[in-house]
Amino acid sequence: MPAQAALEWSRWASLPRFYFDDPRVDAAARLRRPRMPVLSIGLDDDPWAPPEAIDLVCEHLTGCAVERRQLSPADSAGQGICHLGFFREHHAATLWPTVIDWLRHHAPERGEARVD
């Protein structure tokens, strides 16, 4: 990881509302701009993205239809998930269908523009 990124993350972690308290980022304004459906997934065994942090980001996606889901190892036959573990192949049969089904329902067909 680049040193500057690590230092910035460290500074954000010391702020009560993470990067939302950094005026240089203007995160709240940036997150108000998108207009799209969003599937927000939290993982019970993720030490770096607790539900409160995910909810904080989601509450700023005011132009989006946010569907929030919280998953646990029980949702994947007891296998731990953790921060980036969702993308491991051993979750393909248990966790990935959640996202695949959501995308099939919300994503436009190829070549078709989506208008909400």
Side-chain angles (χ1 to χ4, degrees), residues 45 72-73 75-82 84-98:
D45 62 347
S72 73
D75 295 307
S76 191
Q79 295 186 47
I81 308 166
C82 214
L84 295 174
F86 182 93
F87 301 101
R88 295 184 190 270
E89 193 169 349
H90 61 264
H91 296 298
T94 55
L95 300 181
W96 295 2
T98 297

Side-chain angles (χ1 to χ4, degrees), residues 3-79:
Q4 284 304 110
L7 289 171
E8 187 170 55
W9 285 358
S10 172
R11 190 173 55 76
W12 288 341
S14 70
L15 300 172
R17 293 173 24 97
F18 199 56
Y19 49 71
F20 289 104
D21 286 340
D22 185 343
R24 296 175 296 173
V25 175
D26 201 12
R30 290 176 185 224
L31 289 177
R32 281 192 300 267
R33 288 195 295 254
R35 303 281 184 261
M36 66 186 81
V38 171
L39 174 61
S40 172
I41 296 177
L43 308 168
D44 285 352
D45 62 347
D46 182 347
W48 296 291
E52 299 81 12
I54 297 167
D55 293 340
L56 177 64
V57 172
C58 290
E59 77 183 34
H60 286 87
L61 291 167
T62 56
C64 298
V66 178
E67 185 174 333
R68 176 81 169 80
R69 297 190 190 170
Q70 191 71 24
L71 303 176
S72 73
D75 295 307
S76 191
Q79 295 186 47

